[in-house]
Amino acid sequence: ITVDKDGNVSLKGKAGVQIFIDGKPAYLSGQDLVNYLRNIQGAQLDQIEIMTNPPAKYDAAGNSGIINIKTKKTKQLGYNVTLTTGYTQGIYSRNNQNVTFNYRKNKVNLFGTASRNERNTLQTLDIQRKFMEQNTKEVRSLFEQTGRMKNWNASNNLKLGADYSVSKKTTIGAVVNGFYNPGVFKNNSDISIFTPSKELVGKTFANSKSRNLFQNISSNINFRTLLDTTGKELTADLDYIYYDISNTQNLSNYYYNATGIPSRKADTILGNLPQMINIYTGKVDYLHPLKKGAKFEAGIKAAYVKTDANAVYDTLYNGVSMRDFGRSNHFIYEERITAAYVNYSKPFSKKLSAQLGLRLETTDAKGNSKGKEFRNSVWVPFDTTFTFSYTQLFPTFYLNYAASEKHNWSVNYGRRIRRPDYESLNPFVEFLDIYTFEQGNPNLRPQFSHNVELSHTFRSFFTTTLNYTKTNNIIQQVLEQNELTNQTFVKQANIASQRQYGIAVSAFAQVKNFSGNIYANLYNNEFKGLVNNT
């Protein structure tokens, strides 16, 4: 697992990891997921399960696989309380506090966690860009920028749950989670624009400040029962998740010519970007043990997601506020996913075992964008709706061969999907400054990948894995430029196909009181597609 400076997670060099918490999708992506993971306390964790090619029981989402974060659940009888705190000092400070409790007696188990995490971070961003003529590809202007960014955020989390054993075979439970995460982001940028021969054309000083508030409440009701003494098992889950996200932006720009004289009047962009997300899911799983160690599994799942985001921008000139219809937009997105799967596993001998799974997923989505566009010298309302629907099969296959006590071989294959993140579909514009901004793309479509792995383990401590992935319609972040205004905007787009070859080597050994491990991953990514007409 690799985490970059911005908190984005990749697995064996591939992005698109699906994060699960206690076996359930986090339903977060982008910066929201980054902040959520940063604020989980180490004291809360029990295990981290990595599946590069998950079985059919799990959602097919996640191009490179699934990381399942399992939190602690004490099984000891009686009361159990744990308190932890931490403090870190860099240029700015960070601190965290965490309390977990558990009470188990007879048929009842009560558990909960309360935590707070406060972070102050500082980042300096240096950008150099060349803007070229579209036709001749000759350099038109040079762009240099230095930004100093300060980010403060706090995370306040609460989790409460209960399990009740109705009988020795049946258990019901309920869990409620919630968090309240405020934050403030400040950025001061010095921007210089030059001719191709490095003569200064003008400077811009940009100051931006945004306040954000990320609130969540999620609830789960779960049921588990053993149907008989052979191990037949039936489980069910119902979930409701609600996110309330608000973000206000204030961006001021001051323009000067090469001699330091104001070249035009300063302006200020004011943005109010609220977003609400409602998620409803339900699933049922059935496990049926068969003779000679074989198992049959089957299940169904349904999920409904609705996001409502209404971005309102105003522009301030000489103290007068005017609605910026060109940037304002109201976007509503609905998505329904229904799924069913079957999975069969069987040991054919002491050395050979196999597992075969098949998952069927149907997706129906609808997006609606409302706003105004400038047409024939006037602002005219527009109302754009897009829909798409598709049904896909996702097979999985695993084969394991224990050749001897020293050598173990395994091969697996799986087809997976990566759907666009909700915020990536949102056509909002979010500013770093007047020259650099990020914009959603409602035309994004899902990407599909084929993943194959071959692994060899020697003496249960040295493992070598060869992997190959072929991805079509890949979702990738691209930079597009306007050479007339020296502006650059970042967006997600279906730009290309990708293939990856890789080899990973890992080893773990323990000698008396000493233990150590080594891991190396070498991979090659190749993209083929069209970006900026190239």
Side-chain angles (χ1 to χ4, degrees):
I1 300 174
T2 305
V3 184
D4 69 13
K5 67 177 181 61
D6 296 318
N8 300 303
V9 181
S10 61
L11 184 56
K12 288 190 175 179
K14 293 182 287 186
V17 181
Q18 189 79 353
I19 303 295
F20 277 58
I21 309 295
D22 291 326
K24 299 178 177 60
Y27 293 110
L28 289 171
S29 57
Q31 193 60 40
D32 296 335
L33 177 61
V34 171
N35 291 334
Y36 179 76
L37 293 177
R38 278 177 175 162
N39 293 323
I40 294 179
Q41 305 290 327
Q44 299 172 239
L45 303 184
D46 180 36
Q47 293 180 339
I48 296 180
E49 186 178 18
I50 304 169
M51 292 174 278
T52 54
N53 211 353
K57 178 179 180 179
Y58 291 90
D59 294 351
N63 176 57
S64 58
I66 287 175
I67 298 175
N68 184 26
I69 299 173
K70 297 182 178 181
T71 56
K72 289 180 179 177
K73 203 171 184 181
T74 304
K75 296 182 179 180
Q76 293 177 329
L77 294 176
Y79 294 96
N80 228 298
V81 178
T82 304
L83 298 171
T84 61
T85 186
Y87 180 87
T88 302
Q89 183 66 52
I91 295 177
Y92 298 110
S93 64
R94 301 196 300 269
N95 65 85
N96 63 79
Q97 302 82 37
N98 181 78
V99 55
T100 62
F101 76 89
N102 182 270
Y103 171 73
R104 179 184 290 271
K105 186 177 181 180
N106 299 328
K107 296 183 177 182
V108 177
N109 181 39
L110 304 176
F111 55 92
T113 300
S115 63
R116 186 178 189 274
N117 193 331
E118 183 178 14
R119 297 171 57 92
N120 283 284
T121 59
L122 179 69
Q123 184 176 353
T124 300
L125 178 66
D126 293 304
I127 300 175
Q128 294 84 36
R129 295 180 179 139
K130 292 180 180 180
F131 289 84
M132 296 180 289
E133 295 284 358
Q134 289 287 336
N135 296 326
T136 63
K137 300 299 181 183
E138 292 183 357
V139 177
R140 178 188 177 96
S141 60
L142 302 175
F143 177 101
E144 292 184 2
Q145 174 179 347
T146 298
R148 293 169 297 278
M149 296 174 286
K150 182 180 179 182
N151 192 17
W152 171 86
N153 66 76
S155 175
N156 304 279
N157 302 274
L158 180 65
K159 175 182 178 180
L160 298 172
D163 293 328
Y164 178 72
S165 299
V166 180
S167 65
K168 291 183 179 180
K169 294 183 178 180
T170 303
T171 303
I172 58 174
V175 182
V176 177
N177 289 280
F179 58 72
Y180 178 88
N181 300 351
V184 178
F185 173 80
K186 296 179 181 179
N187 177 41
N188 296 316
S189 293
D190 299 341
I191 301 155
S192 300
I193 298 175
F194 302 89
T195 65
S197 58
K198 200 63 176 180
E199 295 178 1
L200 181 64
V201 175
K203 295 180 74 70
T204 301
F205 297 99
N207 302 319
S208 66
K209 182 178 181 179
S210 64
R211 294 182 178 272
N212 52 76
L213 178 60
F214 190 20
Q215 302 177 84
N216 157 267
I217 185 168
S218 61
S219 56
N220 166 264
I221 299 174
N222 54 80
F223 169 84
R224 175 180 178 268
T225 184
L226 293 172
L227 301 177
D228 59 20
T229 57
T230 64
K232 295 177 184 176
E233 182 180 284
L234 184 69
T235 60
D237 283 89
L238 291 175
D239 291 270
Y240 169 68
I241 304 170
Y242 172 72
Y243 294 104
D244 185 352
I245 306 167
S246 64
N247 185 6
T248 58
Q249 299 179 359
N250 186 326
L251 171 63
S252 298
N253 303 282
Y254 306 89
Y255 308 95
Y256 300 89
N257 61 20
T259 61
I261 299 174
S263 57
R264 59 182 168 123
K265 293 180 179 180
D267 59 49
T268 299
I269 299 173
L270 305 174
N272 185 17
L273 315 175
Q275 185 174 9
M276 292 182 292
I277 304 174
N278 287 276
I279 304 170
Y280 306 84
T281 69
K283 70 184 186 80
V284 177
D285 298 291
Y286 173 68
L287 171 64
H288 189 106
L290 301 171
K291 295 180 180 179
K292 297 182 179 180
K295 291 182 180 180
F296 173 79
E297 297 175 272
I300 57 174
K301 181 180 179 179
Y304 170 74
V305 179
K306 182 177 182 180
T307 69
D308 188 331
N310 189 15
V312 178
Y313 281 99
D314 296 309
T315 302
L316 200 63
Y317 287 108
N318 296 326
V320 179
S321 178
M322 300 175 58
R323 181 57 43 88
D324 191 338
F325 293 113
R327 297 187 176 102
S328 301
N329 186 278
H330 188 188
F331 181 67
I332 298 175
Y333 178 75
E334 296 179 76
E335 182 180 82
R336 293 175 177 84
I337 301 175
T338 54
Y341 76 91
V342 291
N343 197 72
Y344 177 77
S345 60
K346 179 178 174 61
F348 293 98
S349 66
K350 292 183 179 180
K351 294 186 175 182
L352 185 65
S353 62
Q355 183 177 215
L356 181 65
L358 185 64
R359 188 177 183 90
L360 175 73
E361 291 191 355
T362 297
T363 304
D364 298 287
K366 178 182 178 181
N368 177 259
S369 181
K370 295 180 180 180
K372 290 186 178 182
E373 57 185 352
F374 199 64
R375 193 188 311 160
N376 299 326
S377 301
V378 294
W379 287 103
V380 180
F382 72 86
D383 190 333
T384 304
T385 299
F386 67 86
T387 60
F388 56 88
S389 178
Y390 53 90
T391 300
Q392 296 284 333
L393 286 171
F394 300 94
T396 54
F397 171 74
Y398 308 86
L399 186 67
N400 188 79
Y401 178 63
S404 65
E405 292 183 359
K406 295 182 179 180
H407 299 280
N408 188 88
W409 298 86
S410 65
V411 62
N412 65 68
Y413 162 78
R415 182 174 186 258
R416 304 195 62 76
I417 183 175
R418 180 187 175 188
R419 296 179 178 87
D421 303 332
Y422 305 134
E423 64 267 28
S424 297
L425 290 165
N426 193 330
F428 287 1
V429 176
E430 189 167 352
F431 290 91
L432 177 65
D433 53 64
I434 194 65
Y435 294 102
T436 307
F437 50 90
E438 187 171 359
Q439 186 173 22
N441 180 5
N443 297 316
L444 281 176
R445 294 298 179 263
Q447 69 178 42
F448 297 91
S449 63
H450 298 272
N451 303 285
V452 181
E453 287 186 343
L454 174 64
S455 295
H456 170 257
T457 301
F458 177 71
R459 289 187 179 271
S460 300
F461 90 96
F462 190 87
T463 300
T464 304
T465 302
L466 300 174
N467 67 278
Y468 170 78
T469 298
K470 179 69 166 66
T471 306
N472 296 317
N473 214 30
I474 190 168
I475 300 172
Q476 188 76 15
Q477 188 181 78
V478 296
L479 302 178
E480 296 192 2
Q481 295 181 330
N482 184 334
E483 71 276 7
L484 300 178
T485 60
N486 294 298
Q487 289 179 315
T488 301
F489 63 92
V490 183
K491 73 173 186 178
Q492 302 280 352
N494 300 107
I495 63 166
S497 62
Q498 178 198 12
R499 68 111 182 97
Q500 183 196 87
Y501 298 97
I503 180 171
V505 177
S506 63
F508 174 83
Q510 182 161 348
V511 180
K512 295 184 178 180
N513 295 330
F514 294 90
S515 65
N517 61 68
I518 185 172
Y519 175 77
N521 185 29
L522 176 68
Y523 62 89
N524 175 265
N525 284 333
E526 180 185 80
F527 298 86
K528 289 185 178 181
L530 191 68
V531 181
N532 293 321
N533 298 316
T534 302

Short mmCIF file of all heavy atoms in Angstrom, two decimals, residues 345-375:
data_model
loop_
_atom_site.label_atom_id
_atom_site.label_comp_id
_atom_site.label_asym_id
_atom_site.label_seq_id
_atom_site.Cartn_x
_atom_site.Cartn_y
_atom_site.Cartn_z
N SER A 345 -16.38 -23.00 -3.42
CA SER A 345 -15.00 -23.35 -3.13
C SER A 345 -14.91 -24.83 -2.75
O SER A 345 -15.83 -25.36 -2.12
CB SER A 345 -14.45 -22.48 -2.00
OG SER A 345 -15.21 -22.66 -0.81
N LYS A 346 -13.78 -25.45 -3.12
CA LYS A 346 -13.66 -26.90 -2.87
C LYS A 346 -12.18 -27.30 -2.82
O LYS A 346 -11.40 -26.94 -3.70
CB LYS A 346 -14.35 -27.69 -3.98
CG LYS A 346 -14.25 -29.20 -3.83
CD LYS A 346 -14.99 -29.91 -4.93
CE LYS A 346 -14.78 -31.43 -4.87
NZ LYS A 346 -15.27 -32.01 -3.62
N PRO A 347 -11.78 -28.06 -1.79
CA PRO A 347 -10.45 -28.69 -1.81
C PRO A 347 -10.52 -30.03 -2.55
O PRO A 347 -11.25 -30.94 -2.15
CB PRO A 347 -10.15 -28.89 -0.32
CG PRO A 347 -11.49 -29.00 0.34
CD PRO A 347 -12.46 -28.22 -0.50
N PHE A 348 -9.79 -30.15 -3.64
CA PHE A 348 -9.84 -31.38 -4.43
C PHE A 348 -8.93 -32.46 -3.87
O PHE A 348 -9.14 -33.64 -4.09
CB PHE A 348 -9.45 -31.08 -5.89
CG PHE A 348 -10.45 -30.22 -6.60
CD1 PHE A 348 -10.26 -28.85 -6.71
CD2 PHE A 348 -11.61 -30.76 -7.14
CE1 PHE A 348 -11.17 -28.05 -7.35
CE2 PHE A 348 -12.54 -29.96 -7.78
CZ PHE A 348 -12.32 -28.60 -7.89
N SER A 349 -7.89 -32.01 -3.15
CA SER A 349 -6.97 -32.93 -2.50
C SER A 349 -6.24 -32.15 -1.42
O SER A 349 -6.53 -30.98 -1.17
CB SER A 349 -5.97 -33.52 -3.52
OG SER A 349 -5.13 -32.51 -4.01
N LYS A 350 -5.28 -32.78 -0.76
CA LYS A 350 -4.50 -32.07 0.25
C LYS A 350 -3.66 -30.97 -0.36
O LYS A 350 -3.26 -30.03 0.31
CB LYS A 350 -3.60 -33.06 0.99
CG LYS A 350 -4.36 -34.05 1.88
CD LYS A 350 -3.40 -34.94 2.64
CE LYS A 350 -4.15 -35.91 3.55
NZ LYS A 350 -3.22 -36.79 4.30
N LYS A 351 -3.38 -31.08 -1.66
CA LYS A 351 -2.52 -30.12 -2.32
C LYS A 351 -3.27 -29.09 -3.17
O LYS A 351 -2.79 -27.97 -3.34
CB LYS A 351 -1.50 -30.84 -3.20
CG LYS A 351 -0.49 -31.68 -2.44
CD LYS A 351 0.57 -32.25 -3.38
CE LYS A 351 1.65 -33.00 -2.60
NZ LYS A 351 2.71 -33.50 -3.50
N LEU A 352 -4.42 -29.47 -3.70
CA LEU A 352 -5.10 -28.62 -4.69
C LEU A 352 -6.46 -28.16 -4.18
O LEU A 352 -7.27 -28.98 -3.72
CB LEU A 352 -5.27 -29.39 -6.00
CG LEU A 352 -5.86 -28.60 -7.18
CD1 LEU A 352 -4.92 -27.48 -7.59
CD2 LEU A 352 -6.14 -29.53 -8.35
N SER A 353 -6.72 -26.86 -4.26
CA SER A 353 -8.02 -26.30 -3.91
C SER A 353 -8.36 -25.17 -4.89
O SER A 353 -7.47 -24.55 -5.47
CB SER A 353 -8.03 -25.78 -2.47
OG SER A 353 -7.09 -24.74 -2.31
N ALA A 354 -9.66 -24.91 -5.05
CA ALA A 354 -10.09 -23.91 -6.02
C ALA A 354 -11.34 -23.19 -5.52
O ALA A 354 -12.07 -23.69 -4.65
CB ALA A 354 -10.36 -24.56 -7.37
N GLN A 355 -11.57 -22.00 -6.06
CA GLN A 355 -12.75 -21.21 -5.75
C GLN A 355 -13.20 -20.49 -7.01
O GLN A 355 -12.39 -19.93 -7.74
CB GLN A 355 -12.45 -20.20 -4.64
CG GLN A 355 -13.67 -19.39 -4.23
CD GLN A 355 -13.37 -18.44 -3.08
OE1 GLN A 355 -14.20 -18.19 -2.23
NE2 GLN A 355 -12.17 -17.89 -3.06
N LEU A 356 -14.50 -20.51 -7.25
CA LEU A 356 -15.06 -19.89 -8.45
C LEU A 356 -16.26 -19.05 -8.03
O LEU A 356 -17.13 -19.52 -7.29
CB LEU A 356 -15.49 -20.97 -9.45
CG LEU A 356 -16.07 -20.47 -10.79
CD1 LEU A 356 -15.01 -19.71 -11.57
CD2 LEU A 356 -16.60 -21.64 -11.60
N GLY A 357 -16.30 -17.80 -8.50
CA GLY A 357 -17.40 -16.92 -8.14
C GLY A 357 -17.89 -16.12 -9.33
O GLY A 357 -17.16 -15.89 -10.30
N LEU A 358 -19.14 -15.69 -9.24
CA LEU A 358 -19.72 -14.86 -10.29
C LEU A 358 -20.66 -13.85 -9.65
O LEU A 358 -21.54 -14.22 -8.86
CB LEU A 358 -20.49 -15.72 -11.30
CG LEU A 358 -21.04 -14.97 -12.52
CD1 LEU A 358 -19.90 -14.41 -13.37
CD2 LEU A 358 -21.92 -15.91 -13.37
N ARG A 359 -20.46 -12.57 -9.97
CA ARG A 359 -21.28 -11.50 -9.43
C ARG A 359 -21.94 -10.74 -10.57
O ARG A 359 -21.28 -10.40 -11.57
CB ARG A 359 -20.43 -10.55 -8.58
CG ARG A 359 -21.26 -9.50 -7.83
CD ARG A 359 -20.38 -8.62 -6.95
NE ARG A 359 -21.18 -7.68 -6.17
CZ ARG A 359 -21.67 -7.91 -4.97
NH1 ARG A 359 -21.41 -9.08 -4.38
NH2 ARG A 359 -22.39 -7.01 -4.33
N LEU A 360 -23.22 -10.47 -10.42
CA LEU A 360 -23.99 -9.71 -11.40
C LEU A 360 -24.40 -8.38 -10.78
O LEU A 360 -24.98 -8.35 -9.69
CB LEU A 360 -25.24 -10.50 -11.83
CG LEU A 360 -26.22 -9.78 -12.76
CD1 LEU A 360 -25.62 -9.68 -14.17
CD2 LEU A 360 -27.57 -10.49 -12.81
N GLU A 361 -24.06 -7.28 -11.45
CA GLU A 361 -24.43 -5.95 -10.95
C GLU A 361 -25.12 -5.15 -12.04
O GLU A 361 -24.65 -5.08 -13.18
CB GLU A 361 -23.20 -5.19 -10.45
CG GLU A 361 -22.59 -5.77 -9.19
CD GLU A 361 -21.55 -4.87 -8.55
OE1 GLU A 361 -21.23 -3.82 -9.15
OE2 GLU A 361 -21.07 -5.21 -7.45
N THR A 362 -26.24 -4.53 -11.67
CA THR A 362 -26.98 -3.64 -12.57
C THR A 362 -26.96 -2.24 -11.99
O THR A 362 -27.27 -2.03 -10.82
CB THR A 362 -28.43 -4.11 -12.74
OG1 THR A 362 -28.43 -5.40 -13.37
CG2 THR A 362 -29.21 -3.14 -13.61
N THR A 363 -26.59 -1.28 -12.80
CA THR A 363 -26.49 0.12 -12.37
C THR A 363 -27.42 0.99 -13.20
O THR A 363 -27.40 0.92 -14.44
CB THR A 363 -25.05 0.63 -12.52
OG1 THR A 363 -24.16 -0.22 -11.79
CG2 THR A 363 -24.92 2.05 -12.00
N ASP A 364 -28.23 1.79 -12.53
CA ASP A 364 -29.08 2.78 -13.18
C ASP A 364 -28.76 4.13 -12.54
O ASP A 364 -28.84 4.28 -11.31
CB ASP A 364 -30.56 2.46 -13.00
CG ASP A 364 -30.94 1.14 -13.65
OD1 ASP A 364 -30.99 1.08 -14.88
OD2 ASP A 364 -31.17 0.16 -12.90
N ALA A 365 -28.42 5.12 -13.35
CA ALA A 365 -28.03 6.42 -12.83
C ALA A 365 -28.71 7.53 -13.61
O ALA A 365 -28.99 7.40 -14.81
CB ALA A 365 -26.51 6.59 -12.89
N LYS A 366 -28.94 8.62 -12.90
CA LYS A 366 -29.57 9.79 -13.50
C LYS A 366 -28.98 11.04 -12.88
O LYS A 366 -28.88 11.16 -11.67
CB LYS A 366 -31.09 9.76 -13.28
CG LYS A 366 -31.83 10.98 -13.83
CD LYS A 366 -33.32 10.88 -13.52
CE LYS A 366 -34.08 12.11 -14.03
NZ LYS A 366 -35.52 12.03 -13.70
N GLY A 367 -28.57 11.98 -13.72
CA GLY A 367 -28.02 13.24 -13.26
C GLY A 367 -28.76 14.41 -13.87
O GLY A 367 -29.18 14.35 -15.03
N ASN A 368 -28.94 15.46 -13.09
CA ASN A 368 -29.64 16.65 -13.56
C ASN A 368 -28.87 17.89 -13.15
O ASN A 368 -28.50 18.05 -11.98
CB ASN A 368 -31.06 16.71 -13.00
CG ASN A 368 -31.80 17.97 -13.43
OD1 ASN A 368 -31.91 18.92 -12.66
ND2 ASN A 368 -32.29 17.99 -14.65
N SER A 369 -28.58 18.74 -14.12
CA SER A 369 -27.81 19.96 -13.89
C SER A 369 -28.64 21.16 -14.31
O SER A 369 -29.13 21.23 -15.44
CB SER A 369 -26.50 19.91 -14.68
OG SER A 369 -25.72 21.06 -14.46
N LYS A 370 -28.81 22.11 -13.38
CA LYS A 370 -29.58 23.32 -13.65
C LYS A 370 -28.73 24.55 -13.40
O LYS A 370 -27.93 24.59 -12.47
CB LYS A 370 -30.82 23.39 -12.75
CG LYS A 370 -31.85 22.29 -13.00
CD LYS A 370 -33.03 22.45 -12.06
CE LYS A 370 -34.07 21.36 -12.28
NZ LYS A 370 -35.23 21.50 -11.37
N GLY A 371 -28.92 25.56 -14.24
CA GLY A 371 -28.20 26.81 -14.08
C GLY A 371 -28.58 27.78 -15.17
O GLY A 371 -29.68 27.71 -15.74
N LYS A 372 -27.66 28.70 -15.47
CA LYS A 372 -27.88 29.65 -16.55
C LYS A 372 -26.63 29.72 -17.42
O LYS A 372 -25.52 29.60 -16.93
CB LYS A 372 -28.21 31.04 -15.98
CG LYS A 372 -29.57 31.15 -15.33
CD LYS A 372 -29.89 32.58 -14.93
CE LYS A 372 -31.28 32.70 -14.32
NZ LYS A 372 -31.62 34.10 -13.96
N GLU A 373 -26.86 29.92 -18.72
CA GLU A 373 -25.75 30.08 -19.65
C GLU A 373 -25.95 31.36 -20.47
O GLU A 373 -27.09 31.79 -20.70
CB GLU A 373 -25.64 28.87 -20.58
CG GLU A 373 -26.88 28.57 -21.38
CD GLU A 373 -26.75 27.29 -22.19
OE1 GLU A 373 -25.64 26.73 -22.23
OE2 GLU A 373 -27.75 26.85 -22.78
N PHE A 374 -24.82 31.98 -20.88
CA PHE A 374 -24.88 33.25 -21.60
C PHE A 374 -25.11 32.96 -23.08
O PHE A 374 -24.28 32.36 -23.75
CB PHE A 374 -23.56 34.00 -21.39
CG PHE A 374 -23.66 35.46 -21.70
CD1 PHE A 374 -24.47 36.29 -20.94
CD2 PHE A 374 -22.93 36.02 -22.73
CE1 PHE A 374 -24.55 37.65 -21.20
CE2 PHE A 374 -22.99 37.37 -23.01
CZ PHE A 374 -23.81 38.19 -22.24
N ARG A 375 -26.27 33.36 -23.58
CA ARG A 375 -26.64 33.08 -24.97
C ARG A 375 -27.32 34.31 -25.57
O ARG A 375 -28.27 34.84 -25.01
CB ARG A 375 -27.58 31.87 -25.02
CG ARG A 375 -27.78 31.28 -26.41
CD ARG A 375 -28.87 30.23 -26.40
NE ARG A 375 -28.72 29.25 -25.33
CZ ARG A 375 -29.72 28.49 -24.90
NH1 ARG A 375 -30.94 28.63 -25.41
NH2 ARG A 375 -29.50 27.62 -23.92
#
